[in-house]
Amino acid sequence: MTNPITREALEPLLRTEWLGRNYETRSEVDSTNSLAARLGEAGAAHGLVVSAESQTKGRGRMRRVWHSPAGMNLYFSILLRPQWDLQACPPLSIAAGVAIAEAVAQFAATPELKWPNDVLCNGRKLAGVLVEATAQQRQIRQVVLGIGVNVNQSDFPAELEQRATSLYLMRGGAHLDRAAVLARLLQRLEFWIDQLALQHGGSVIERWTEFAPWLGTAVRVTHGNTTIAGTAIALESNGALRLRNEQGEEQLVHCGDASGVMGWAC
Ligand code: BTN
């Protein structure tokens, strides 16, 4: 257990203009995504950050559970009320993956991005992103960007042991100040969210590609009961993965989980 990430701990480290200037933290919550959504429904403003020491119902993509033990990792959600054209830029989750990869690279890890937005180190999952939007009459009302980063966790339950890692493990057993990691993450997230707002989607895709050295290699993408195998070619501007399938045809894949035929498989 390390010090809780209080407002007093975070504020002096924050280098953002608008993100996290409004910050709430809880010792335990069902899910920070649910709490941020509730606060949003109650009128909270763009840029609110909600973090928790533990989650009782932390959730991941594809209805998976996000393991959220107390006091060692980062579980936080950002409330956004995007005024920009969401259709015209890469998905927020792609930009978030880039921001996390840049931030954790500063703390001794060499991250890779697995499509669409898992952050891996040494082939194991370090961080994940869950974006949930609420719309009314096809108009986006609010978006919650939820992020989990394994920071100081030294061991994982048996089912995650071979698939998960933490910054602590990547640093050979050195604890990190979670407030400092959160402040760095928020700074990179603000930068990349601003790039989306400015419709600079190309730079997001280019940067994402730099963290995806597996492009050009054989992958499998699984979605439900369907698996597509092929060579990964590129990330499209809408976040889709372009593959050359085993018949030699190019194909766009819009959702699923990618795994490398030779390497990572979280
Ligand atoms: C994934 O990789 O499947 C996404 C994981 C997202 C986990 C974070 S932890 C903070 C926020 N609250 C949640 O319930 N989920 C996200």
Side-chain angles (χ1 to χ4, degrees), residues 14 29-30 33 41 81 88 109 128 137 144 149 152 163 167 169-170 174 184 190 196 204 222 238 254 261:
L14 257 191
V29 76
D30 48 357
N33 266 33
E41 293 301 335
R81 299 189 183 282
Q137 285 158 359
V144 173
V149 184
N152 287 325
R163 297 187 287 134
L167 287 173
L169 293 172
M170 293 306 299
R184 186 65 191 153
E190 181 178 273
L196 294 184
V204 177
T222 308
N238 63 0
H254 294 274
V261 171

Side-chain angles (χ1 to χ4, degrees), residues 25-26 89 220:
T25 183
R26 304 279 191 274
C89 56
R220 280 200 189 93

Side-chain angles (χ1 to χ4, degrees), residues 3-203:
N3 295 335
I5 315 164
T6 57
R7 183 193 302 267
E8 292 69 31
L10 180 66
E11 230 160 42
L13 303 169
L14 257 191
R15 300 285 176 272
T16 57
E17 295 278 323
W18 56 268
L19 182 58
R21 292 289 158 188
N22 193 357
Y23 174 72
E24 298 222 8
T25 183
R26 304 279 191 274
S27 60
E28 184 179 281
V29 76
D30 48 357
S31 150
T32 58
N33 266 33
S34 303
L35 177 59
R38 291 195 293 270
L39 293 171
E41 293 301 335
H46 180 75
L48 168 73
V49 173
V50 179
S51 95
E53 290 297 308
S54 70
Q55 302 184 111
T56 53
K57 289 187 183 151
R59 56 180 181 268
R61 292 173 59 242
M62 320 260 183
R63 297 166 175 256
R64 294 182 188 124
V65 170
W66 188 257
H67 173 66
S68 310
M72 44 182 93
N73 297 322
L74 285 173
Y75 318 112
F76 67 101
S77 300
I78 297 171
L79 177 71
L80 298 171
R81 299 189 183 282
Q83 300 296 316
W84 66 91
D85 182 0
L86 281 172
Q87 308 297 331
C89 56
L92 193 54
S93 60
I94 295 288
V98 168
I100 300 168
E102 287 184 345
V104 300
Q106 280 223 315
F107 296 96
T110 309
E112 281 189 17
L113 286 170
K114 183 173 81 116
W115 185 81
N117 50 37
D118 286 350
V119 182
L120 309 187
C121 284
N122 278 356
R124 293 176 180 211
K125 187 152 166 174
L126 180 80
V129 177
L130 178 67
V131 178
E132 295 176 319
T134 320
Q136 199 172 36
Q137 285 158 359
R138 307 185 68 193
Q139 194 75 26
I140 299 277
R141 265 217 325 247
Q142 60 181 40
V143 178
V144 173
L145 168 59
I147 295 175
V149 184
N150 299 329
V151 180
N152 287 325
Q153 190 158 355
S154 55
D155 39 37
F156 289 88
E159 69 275 16
L160 295 178
E161 214 174 11
Q162 298 302 315
R163 297 187 287 134
T165 191
S166 66
L167 287 173
Y168 171 88
L169 293 172
M170 293 306 299
R171 286 160 54 89
H175 282 105
L176 275 163
D177 173 13
R178 287 178 300 147
V181 181
L182 178 58
R184 186 65 191 153
L185 282 160
L186 293 178
Q187 195 266 331
R188 296 321 296 154
L189 284 158
E190 181 178 273
F191 174 84
W192 286 109
I193 295 168
D194 283 346
Q195 293 299 299
L196 294 184
L198 293 166
Q199 309 281 305
H200 292 168
S203 61

Side-chain angles (χ1 to χ4, degrees), residues 237-255:
S237 59
N238 63 0
L241 183 65
R242 181 177 291 277
L243 289 184
R244 184 169 302 106
N245 65 23
E246 287 170 331
Q247 290 71 47
E249 297 150 354
E250 287 199 9
Q251 190 173 352
L252 290 182
V253 188
H254 294 274
C255 53

